Amino acid sequence: MARRADERPRNILLTRFSALGDVAMTIPVVYSACAANPGCEFYYLTRRAPAGLMLEPPPNLHVLPVDTADYRGVRGLARLVSEVVSKYRIEGYADLHNVLRTRVMGLFMRLRGIPVVHLRKGRRRRNALTNVVDVLSMMPLTSMRARYREVFFRLSLGYRGTFRGFWADTPPDPAVYARATPPRRQGETWIGIAPFAKHRGKIYPEELMVRVV
């Protein structure tokens, strides 16, 4: 029996195949959305490396690590959609990436009658910030966290920003976090630095980073 258009999807697929930082930015919103919709099951499809960032996930969040090299091209994406939809009975698709790969996946979802919502990145307003001719077009940008929240709103899902951190209420289990990093020795102070990026245009110059450190 077909699901009515005004009903909320119960099994929702999420996708973000980016680098570690981009996936990490989705965590506060995704965890909050899971908490606000306890009757829904969320399936987060991402690459294997960033999947390890999702520590202590909510009980209704299921992380699905995938090797995108196994699903190359349109046929590969069609197979991926078929496998995920049939196995997890997906009823809604929240594309938190909005690139060619995820848009093709969204097309196959729509062909199955599944509601699809893509992230709105606001590229035009980003470009306007570098417009040296028309400075009046420089408007404040909507934060990415707000744009991620909007995806869930457009799928008719509830949302409350309840995520306060992995160890906001109770101390972390050292055994859990040992998978991500070795233990810190007594007296050490750690500072995380990420000076590199996949694309050269996003890399802060190494000599300037040395000065910052």
Side-chain angles (χ1 to χ4, degrees):
M1 183 176 178
R3 186 176 60 86
R4 296 201 321 267
D6 60 341
E7 289 181 339
R8 294 192 310 168
R10 290 165 298 181
N11 298 327
I12 300 101
L13 178 68
L14 317 175
T15 53
R16 182 85 203 201
F17 294 107
S18 305
L20 292 172
D22 294 314
V23 174
M25 288 176 61
T26 70
I27 290 178
V29 176
V30 170
Y31 279 43
S32 295
C34 291
N37 300 275
C40 299
E41 299 295 322
F42 295 85
Y43 300 88
Y44 198 137
L45 194 66
T46 187
R47 298 181 189 273
R48 296 190 181 279
L53 294 173
M54 305 204 184
L55 303 170
E56 302 178 4
N60 58 337
L61 176 61
H62 314 277
V63 183
L64 309 178
V66 65
D67 188 346
T68 55
D70 295 336
Y71 301 94
R72 294 182 183 276
V74 175
R75 290 185 178 180
L77 293 176
R79 179 165 52 88
L80 176 59
V81 168
S82 178
E83 292 175 359
V84 173
V85 170
S86 60
K87 184 174 182 178
Y88 302 107
R89 298 184 179 182
I90 300 301
E91 298 178 350
Y93 177 35
D95 175 9
L96 302 178
H97 201 170
N98 195 359
V99 292
L100 181 58
R101 174 184 287 114
T102 56
R103 293 195 71 85
V104 171
M105 291 180 64
L107 174 61
F108 289 127
M109 294 282 185
R110 286 193 174 98
L111 291 175
R112 293 171 173 264
I114 297 173
V116 175
V117 175
H118 297 285
L119 172 71
R120 293 170 176 169
K121 293 186 175 181
R123 290 191 178 94
R124 289 184 180 179
R125 291 203 173 181
R126 291 185 192 179
N127 293 336
L129 289 179
T130 59
N131 188 338
V132 296
V133 178
D134 183 11
V135 295
L136 295 179
S137 65
M138 297 176 61
M139 301 294 292
L141 296 178
T142 303
S143 71
M144 285 305 298
R145 181 174 293 191
R147 293 184 183 277
Y148 289 136
R149 290 198 301 264
E150 182 195 24
V151 173
F152 293 98
F153 290 142
R154 288 162 56 206
L155 268 181
S156 301
L157 297 171
Y159 184 87
R160 288 190 306 125
T162 54
F163 179 82
R164 299 189 298 116
F166 290 129
W167 50 87
D169 299 316
T170 57
D173 181 358
V176 173
Y177 293 92
R179 297 200 302 263
T181 179
R184 184 175 58 183
R185 292 193 293 268
Q186 186 175 6
E188 285 186 337
T189 298
W190 286 10
I191 301 175
I193 301 170
F196 302 113
K198 182 177 180 180
H199 305 287
R200 179 172 295 275
K202 295 182 178 181
I203 298 176
Y204 194 63
E206 187 174 357
E207 62 276 9
L208 296 181
M209 179 56 70
V210 171
R211 292 175 59 186
V212 171
V213 174

